[in-house]
Amino acid sequence: VFLGGSDTVGFPIKFTPKYAGCYRCQILLKSSCDIRVYEIECVVSAEKADAQLEFQTAAYQTVTQEIPISNMSCEDWRFEAVLEGQCFYGPPVINVRVGETAQYPLTFKPVAEC
């Protein structure tokens, strides 16, 4: 604790989360003449990760890969998908509720040998 001025007190908090997500807590401060409750919410994001998918299928055969999207945050997510490249298909929007995992179905429909 450090004094930041005549009537302020700093209250440093440190925590080391193991996973991305939303962490909430309450801090109760009591004195002989006052009670205060502070609610703290920390949102921890995962490090950005690169991913690569490789599709292999017989000529003209469709293949679909389910991509899991886990929402460990404090808010529902709404994703808009932008697919680049020919022959790839998937829903334009996907919603993932707090604490849930949704599957994004990415489909490859080749129209020629490639």
Side-chain angles (χ1 to χ4, degrees):
V1 177
F2 64 91
L3 296 177
S6 61
D7 60 351
T8 63
V9 174
F11 194 81
I13 298 173
K14 179 180 178 181
F15 75 102
T16 311
K18 291 184 179 181
Y19 306 103
C22 184
Y23 297 86
R24 295 183 174 114
C25 74
Q26 289 185 340
I27 298 174
L28 175 64
L29 300 177
K30 292 196 270 184
S31 73
S32 59
C33 60
D34 193 14
I35 296 176
R36 294 178 189 228
V37 177
Y38 294 91
E39 293 186 7
I40 297 176
E41 177 178 285
C42 297
V43 178
V44 178
S45 300
E47 291 183 26
K48 184 178 177 181
D50 292 330
Q52 183 175 0
L53 295 175
E54 184 175 318
F55 288 85
Q56 291 185 1
T57 185
Y60 306 105
Q61 296 295 312
T62 299
V63 61
T64 299
Q65 173 70 51
E66 297 282 339
I67 302 171
I69 302 173
S70 297
N71 182 354
M72 297 303 150
S73 75
C74 306
E75 299 178 11
D76 291 344
W77 289 345
R78 181 181 186 273
F79 285 99
E80 292 185 18
V82 178
L83 301 177
E84 296 180 359
Q86 296 178 350
C87 307
F88 288 95
Y89 303 91
V93 174
I94 185 169
N95 296 299
V96 187
R97 296 177 55 108
V98 171
E100 294 184 357
T101 298
Q103 301 292 329
Y104 184 85
L106 180 60
T107 301
F108 178 61
K109 294 181 183 180
V111 295
E113 290 183 36
C114 57

